Amino acid sequence: PRSAIAMAPKRELGGVGRASRSQDSPAPKTKTEEGPADKQAKPEKGPAAKQTKTAIGAKQTKQAKKTTAPPALGKLSYFPVYAKGLQLALIAEESGLLWSGQTLTDSPDGSVWPDGWPALKASGKCPFGQMPILETAEGVVIGQSLAIANFMGRKGDMFGSGDADFAKSQMCFAEGEDIYALLLGAGLQRWQSAEARGAKAADQAELFAELLPAHVAYLEALCSAGGGFTSTGATCGELYLVGMLLQVTLAAPAGGAILDAHPKLKAWFTTTMARPAVKSVLEGKSAIGKMDVYFVTDKEFATIKAAA
């Protein structure tokens, strides 16, 4: 997406994901809770004493595993639109790990970066001069959406079970990127001028009549009956794909009906959209806050321009 997006007010949203909702710094810290102290019997004399000590140590170790908070993912920064940010927020929220987020636009507001996105870009902090970026708890700044998504998936153990699931998850990532490229090429972004959008009318017609139906048909063939593409149906790759499919349904003239002829894919899509973490992101309740639709229908586009 363009580096200048001015259709939503600039805001920074600190906070964390499902594991916590408190405000956070760029590198969230984990928090350890203490459970009730284990009652320890007096050590016995003789050989039994060593066995008692070993048993107590094992119990304490088990208790520590239960009460230690999950590790932090880091801080996600993006524009206040779906585009490449929605998918990452879905993965972060579904992981159950601590994370924080902020959205930046071109409008100065004197918060973390005094001039919003331009100042962040000029700072050199973004590895490739663009967002999204993830500032990890380990102090690494990750650029590029797929790198961020795979990092989150590795941290959250979201690759499924075994090599086959891993491969299928990666296939979903790649297909999601292909779909995104098609949406971009058709000029459906909300910031486009009316003239630029009109010049893409033929491309948009082809997209919804031929190109996307072909991709959806391929996905239907690969999808299991209501269970998705892997043994879990909710790997990081599948969440990335579902975010892209949602953006398709929001931009398509037919809306969600574009999936109606593909029952397995639609069942999985519907089930995934009902997951608590997914609903949290879409309702603006996750750490990244509210994000706006990026690819829009002709009707929504006209409404946006009329309000400008």
Side-chain angles (χ1 to χ4, degrees):
R2 284 171 49 132
S3 65
I5 299 180
M7 62 284 165
K10 158 73 172 68
R11 57 189 180 273
E12 182 195 356
L13 297 167
V16 295
R18 289 186 295 160
S20 173
R21 296 293 176 189
S22 60
Q23 296 247 336
D24 210 346
S25 62
K29 298 180 181 179
T30 56
K31 183 179 180 181
T32 303
E33 298 178 0
E34 295 181 358
D38 295 321
K39 294 182 179 180
Q40 298 183 15
K42 292 182 179 181
E44 299 179 21
K45 295 181 179 181
K50 184 176 182 180
Q51 295 178 356
T52 301
K53 184 176 181 180
T54 301
I56 292 172
K59 184 176 181 181
Q60 290 175 332
T61 300
K62 184 177 181 181
Q63 182 69 17
K65 289 181 179 179
K66 286 183 178 180
T67 59
T68 300
L73 283 178
K75 183 177 184 178
L76 178 65
S77 298
Y78 193 57
F79 302 107
V81 291
Y82 285 169
K84 284 297 185 78
L86 171 62
Q87 295 70 226
L88 301 181
L90 293 177
I91 295 169
E93 191 74 355
E94 184 68 39
S95 76
L97 303 180
L98 298 170
W99 68 290
S100 63
Q102 67 174 357
T103 54
L104 298 171
T105 70
D106 292 333
S107 303
D109 80 343
S111 59
V112 176
W113 295 96
D115 296 313
W117 162 234
L120 174 57
K121 184 176 182 179
S123 74
K125 192 167 194 176
C126 303
F128 297 98
Q130 60 189 15
M131 294 194 291
I133 61 169
L134 180 73
E135 299 169 64
T136 74
E138 295 83 358
V140 178
V141 179
I142 305 175
Q144 301 292 4
S145 298
L146 293 185
I148 295 171
N150 273 294
F151 174 84
M152 290 176 171
R154 180 180 172 88
K155 280 280 193 179
D157 191 20
M158 300 172 70
F159 289 121
S161 176
D163 293 341
D165 275 1
F166 174 80
K168 291 175 182 178
S169 178
Q170 295 302 308
M171 287 169 60
C172 289
F173 274 131
E175 176 62 6
E177 288 292 278
D178 284 351
I179 290 173
Y180 188 82
L182 290 174
L183 293 169
L184 277 180
L188 296 167
Q189 301 93 314
R190 62 186 295 142
W191 53 260
Q192 292 274 19
S193 68
E195 294 75 18
R197 187 179 178 98
K200 290 281 189 176
D203 294 326
Q204 294 160 16
E206 181 186 22
L207 174 68
F208 293 115
E210 300 176 25
L211 301 180
L212 283 175
H215 278 266
V216 172
Y218 291 140
L219 290 171
E220 173 72 8
L222 292 170
C223 190
S224 63
F229 302 88
T230 69
S231 62
T232 70
T235 60
C236 49
E238 286 166 298
L239 289 166
Y240 198 88
L241 176 61
V242 87
M244 293 301 184
L245 287 176
L246 172 61
Q247 296 195 69
V248 166
T249 67
L250 293 171
I258 195 171
L259 303 179
D260 283 354
H262 310 283
K264 293 185 295 182
L265 182 65
K266 183 175 182 179
W268 166 75
F269 178 81
T270 302
T271 298
T272 306
M273 291 295 292
R275 296 179 73 91
V278 174
K279 292 172 69 175
S280 175
V281 173
L282 297 180
E283 292 170 4
K285 297 177 181 178
S286 77
I288 199 74
K290 185 180 183 299
M291 306 175 83
D292 293 320
V293 176
Y294 186 58
F295 300 109
V296 296
T297 63
D298 287 340
K299 182 178 180 180
E300 179 66 16
F301 181 78
T303 301
I304 292 169
K305 294 306 176 184

